[in-house]
Amino acid sequence: EAQVTQNPRYLITVTGKKLTVTCSQNMNHEYMSWYRQDPGLGLRQIYYSMNVEVTDKGDVPEGYKVSRKEKRNFPLILESPSPNQTSLYFCASSLTSDRSYGYTFGSGTRLTVV
Amino acid sequence: QKEVEQNSGPLSVPEGAIASLNCTYSDRGSQSFFWYRQYSGKSPELIMSIYSNGDKEDGRFTAQLNKASQYVSLLIRDSQPSDSATYLCALQPGGFKTIFGAGTRLFVKA
């Protein structure tokens, strides 16, 4: 089954404790992206990747890191999480980056930072 | 002005009616436009994409794009209670980013 897999689904952590949210897709998609979704603000793009080893900042990159060492994986790293990073996070992928075919989204990760 | 604006709703329509969802955008260079549906507690799923001015139909859904007026809309014919969800408008303003509106909540009353 074609899908984007995120883990974990739920995560509660403490301020400052480094964490990684994993994302993997099995569709050979070139383009991958991370979004956070907050009430009233919608989906905001954190980082995106056009292909292996090619990443760039979205609209809200502060406090986040990403890497794209393999085509299928695009982990999101929070080096020192803070309470304002409490949010619902989605990983998404698309066939190409030059003309989007629309995203396939992962199931989401609900992160709480206390 | 937000880059993508949607009425947050809720929009309430009776079963069998036409639901009309609207979205306006600020970047005239935007090329690709999308509608996603998001059920409560779930991830967004792509309904339709549209790239050219005019209408595009897919089953009960019709997307309408007017680049001169900078709006894109989604019509849902014969609305069903199962259509109750939040509908997200998204677009590519050029480059590699995709920007989403905050979404419109739709309720279809049985």
Side-chain angles (χ1 to χ4, degrees):
Chain A
E1 180 188 353
Q3 60 186 356
V4 177
T5 303
Q6 280 181 244
N7 280 298
R9 290 292 308 276
Y10 301 92
L11 179 59
I12 301 174
T13 190
V14 296
T15 298
K17 185 176 181 182
K18 181 179 178 179
L19 66 91
T20 299
V21 184
T22 64
C23 174
S24 181
Q25 50 90 7
N26 63 0
M27 297 167 281
N28 202 36
H29 282 178
E30 287 184 353
Y31 186 91
M32 298 185 74
S33 185
W34 277 101
Y35 284 85
R36 60 178 289 175
Q37 187 172 38
D38 302 289
L41 297 177
L43 285 158
R44 292 180 293 167
Q45 197 165 25
I46 303 170
Y47 269 95
Y48 58 92
S49 170
M50 290 77 79
N51 215 321
V52 176
E53 302 290 3
V54 184
T55 63
D56 206 349
K57 297 177 180 179
D59 293 320
V60 288
E62 294 77 20
Y64 305 95
K65 285 177 58 177
V66 294
S67 67
R68 186 94 181 270
K69 295 184 171 61
E70 305 166 284
K71 197 170 187 178
R72 63 184 294 125
N73 296 323
F74 191 46
L76 179 69
I77 303 160
L78 284 73
E79 294 270 3
S80 183
S82 62
N84 64 12
Q85 293 178 296
T86 293
S87 187
L88 177 59
Y89 291 86
F90 288 105
C91 180
S93 72
S94 181
L95 182 63
T96 66
S97 57
D98 54 359
R99 177 164 169 153
S100 177
Y101 292 83
Y103 284 131
T104 299
F105 281 86
S107 299
T109 296
R110 187 166 292 281
L111 172 65
T112 302
V113 183
V114 298
Chain B
Q1 182 188 3
K2 290 183 181 177
E3 291 180 276
V4 182
E5 297 220 41
Q6 295 183 257
N7 188 321
S8 62
L11 173 66
S12 184
V13 301
E15 184 175 359
I18 297 175
S20 178
L21 304 160
N22 299 311
C23 172
T24 59
Y25 60 94
S26 58
D27 191 326
R28 287 191 173 274
S30 299
Q31 298 293 318
S32 307
F33 303 84
F34 308 90
W35 284 100
Y36 290 82
R37 177 177 61 199
Q38 186 176 24
Y39 291 113
S40 181
K42 301 294 185 182
S43 56
E45 54 183 334
L46 180 68
I47 301 174
M48 292 188 69
S49 59
I50 186 168
Y51 309 112
S52 305
N53 280 328
D55 295 359
K56 179 181 178 182
E57 188 174 318
D58 184 359
R60 295 187 296 113
F61 299 98
T62 299
Q64 300 175 317
L65 175 60
N66 185 322
K67 290 186 178 181
S69 300
Q70 294 175 247
Y71 82 79
V72 57
S73 62
L74 180 70
L75 301 178
I76 307 174
R77 290 183 300 281
D78 188 24
S79 295
Q80 301 297 310
S82 59
D83 294 325
S84 298
T86 297
Y87 289 80
L88 306 173
C89 172
L91 56 90
Q92 282 194 309
F96 303 108
K97 293 184 179 180
T98 298
I99 299 172
F100 285 79
T104 298
R105 285 188 298 153
L106 172 66
F107 289 113
V108 181
K109 298 175 292 185

